[in-house]
């Protein structure tokens, strides 16, 4: 048998780790091993007739302007689609650009959105503050009970938007149950899957219509570049998602796409190590006398532990702790750390601690913060690639300062 007959030529037969190294490769005539970086804004055409056919969308796979498509970005999009099990993907300049496109592309003036109230601050702004400016109303509900979504649905509801696990409190939403509710009312389900990563949770397989990521997080995972991606059916992605991207210009740069491709190659190794450390830290801190609660999806103390085990194959690289003594105690702990950095990023090779009440969720009212579990003592921990015992020692020292 020849190489052409090898079953592993079919991407469907390849494991995720293999897809993340080889998926979507398109080599030039030089047969480079690392993906080519196409730093070009435009393309020339062999003839005027070719240009006309290209602009009439008669030449699939060809390029006319890098705001619409770029060969390096194409590889990143195809690799992400293979990993996610999606028909198509579009990449964006940032995670928030991806979320904004996913939401805006699916609604029109007069439509209605139902969303979980526990959302990242920027995502909540898009749904609650930005979309009403364009005539799209929204209702936010407690996402832990799927029936809350059912009760909020209206005849003009076009999308349901959730993130699970949520940022920063790691609440879970039952994706399959909410998908059934959305579809029964003729609406689409959009899932922000950043905390779970595409390795641990597959929203499209559970019924979601669109999935979004901030590629800045685990996909790059090394604090280098911004990026985002929206994935789903070919109809949705090449239709409204691409049209809005094309005309608003929130395009991922070719250089950032190339960096993100390099990040994908090591994604399973990094995320596995980070998750193992996060689980170990959650276990050590679970009964600490200066902590009210530890929140980690695959820890038995999580109130939605059964759902987490059913919906996620592992427990995430993130956890949250609510320290006794409120904001003052949280600041004392954070300021005493020698290894863990104070920052607002996550999914990074470096461990990061965040006080959401004064940073990522600062613009929300105190009533809303408390309603969604963002208490004065809450700290979000994104676990990196450092030695787990060093991280534990760092946190225990910080707790001793309270």
């Amino acid at each position: 048998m020849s190489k052409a007959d090898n079953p592993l030529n079919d991407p469907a037969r390849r494991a995720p780790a293999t897809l993340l190294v080889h998926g979507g490769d398109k080599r030039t005539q030089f047969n480079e091993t690392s993906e080519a970086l196409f730093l070009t804004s435009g393309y020339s055409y062999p003839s005027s007739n070719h240009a006309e056919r290209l602009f009439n969308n008669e030449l699939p796979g060809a390029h006319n302007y890098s705001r619409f498509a770029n060969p390096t970005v194409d590889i990143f999009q195809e690799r992400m689609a293979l990993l996610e099990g999606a028909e198509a993907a579009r990449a964006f300049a940032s995670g928030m650009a991806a979320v904004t496109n996913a939401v805006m592309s699916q609604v029109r003036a007069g439509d209605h959105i139902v969303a979980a109230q526990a959302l990242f601050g920027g995502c909540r702004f898009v749904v609650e503050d930005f979309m009403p400016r364009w005539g799209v109303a929204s209702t936010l509900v407690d996402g832990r009970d799927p029936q809350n979504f059912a009760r909020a649905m209206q005849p003009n509801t076009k999308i349901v938007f959730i993130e699970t696990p949520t940022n920063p409190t790691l609440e879970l939403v039952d994706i399959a149950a909410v998908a059934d509710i959305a579809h029964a009312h003729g609406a689409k389900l959009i899932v922000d899957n950043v905390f779970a990563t595409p390795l641990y949770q597959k929203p499209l397989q559970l019924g979601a219509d669109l999935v979004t990521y901030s590629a800045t997080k685990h996909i790059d995972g090394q604090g280098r570049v911004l990026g985002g991606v929206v994935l789903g059916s070919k109809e949705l992605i090449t239709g409204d998602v691409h049209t809005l991207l094309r005309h608003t210009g929130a395009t991922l740069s070719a250089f950032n796409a190339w960096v993100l491709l390099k990040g994908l190659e090591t994604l399973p190794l990094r995320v596995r190590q980070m998750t193992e450390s996060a689980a170990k830290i959650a276990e050590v801190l679970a009964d600490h006398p200066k902590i009210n609660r530890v929140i980690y999806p695959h820890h038995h103390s999580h109130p939605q532990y059964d759902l987490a085990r059913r919906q996620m194959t592992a427990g995430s690289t993130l956890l949250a702790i609510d320290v006794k003594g409120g904001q003052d105690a949280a600041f004392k702990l954070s300021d005493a750390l020698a290894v863990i950095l104070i920052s607002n990023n996550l999914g990074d090779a470096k461990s990061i601690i965040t006080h959401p009440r004064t940073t990522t969720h600062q613009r929300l009212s105190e009533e809303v913060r408390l309603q969604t579990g963002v208490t004065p003592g809450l700290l979000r921990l994104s676990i990196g690639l450092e030695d787990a015992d060093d991280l534990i020692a760092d946190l225990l020292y910080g707790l001793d300062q309270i």
Side-chain angles (χ1 to χ4, degrees), residues 346-358:
L346 61 91
D348 198 280
K350 296 177 175 65
S351 291
I352 288 169
I353 195 165
T354 306
H355 186 247
R357 183 176 182 270
T358 54

Side-chain angles (χ1 to χ4, degrees), residues 37-222:
L37 174 54
F38 290 90
L39 292 175
T40 181
S41 57
Y43 309 84
S44 62
Y45 319 118
S47 68
S48 298
N49 177 260
H50 180 100
E52 181 182 22
R53 293 179 63 208
L54 180 57
F55 276 79
N56 280 335
N57 296 317
E58 296 173 10
L59 299 173
H63 298 83
N64 53 5
Y65 195 51
S66 281
R67 172 159 57 87
F68 310 154
N70 172 280
T72 308
V73 177
D74 288 351
I75 300 172
F76 173 66
Q77 291 175 164
E78 185 171 345
R79 190 169 294 179
M80 281 298 304
L82 288 169
L83 174 64
E84 191 70 35
E87 292 180 355
R90 285 295 180 273
F92 293 82
S94 69
M96 281 310 307
V99 166
T100 303
N101 178 288
V103 172
M104 288 190 68
S105 66
Q106 302 306 308
V107 293
R108 306 291 185 270
D111 289 344
H112 176 250
I113 298 169
V114 176
Q117 62 189 12
L119 294 173
F120 171 65
C123 296
R124 183 157 174 156
F125 180 85
V126 170
V127 171
E128 192 176 30
D129 293 75
F130 189 66
M131 293 312 301
R133 303 181 192 183
W134 307 101
V136 179
S138 61
T139 301
L140 276 65
V141 303
D142 185 335
R144 289 171 293 184
D145 182 356
Q147 289 309 307
N148 290 335
F149 293 94
R151 286 187 282 268
M153 300 297 286
Q154 300 177 12
N156 61 335
T157 303
K158 292 297 187 291
I159 62 170
V160 175
F161 177 48
I162 63 173
E163 57 184 53
T164 182
T166 60
N167 183 359
T169 54
L170 290 110
E171 289 180 5
L172 272 69
V173 181
D174 189 327
I175 297 173
V178 176
D180 287 344
I181 291 166
H183 297 157
H185 290 80
K188 298 181 180 69
L189 175 62
I190 302 172
V191 178
D192 183 333
N193 202 41
V194 168
F195 271 37
T197 80
L199 297 171
Y200 293 158
Q201 186 167 265
K202 299 291 187 182
L204 295 178
Q205 295 178 10
L206 295 170
D209 298 283
L210 291 173
V211 180
T212 69
Y213 291 98
S214 171
T216 313
K217 309 304 189 292
H218 301 92
I219 292 169
D220 172 33
Q222 291 159 82

Side-chain angles (χ1 to χ4, degrees), residues 256-279:
N256 285 12
W258 185 83
V259 173
L260 292 171
L261 283 166
K262 299 296 98 183
L264 284 176
E265 292 179 353
T266 62
L267 179 66
L269 299 173
R270 290 183 287 106
V271 169
R272 184 185 309 120
Q273 179 62 48
M274 294 152 72
T275 302
E276 289 175 1
S277 294

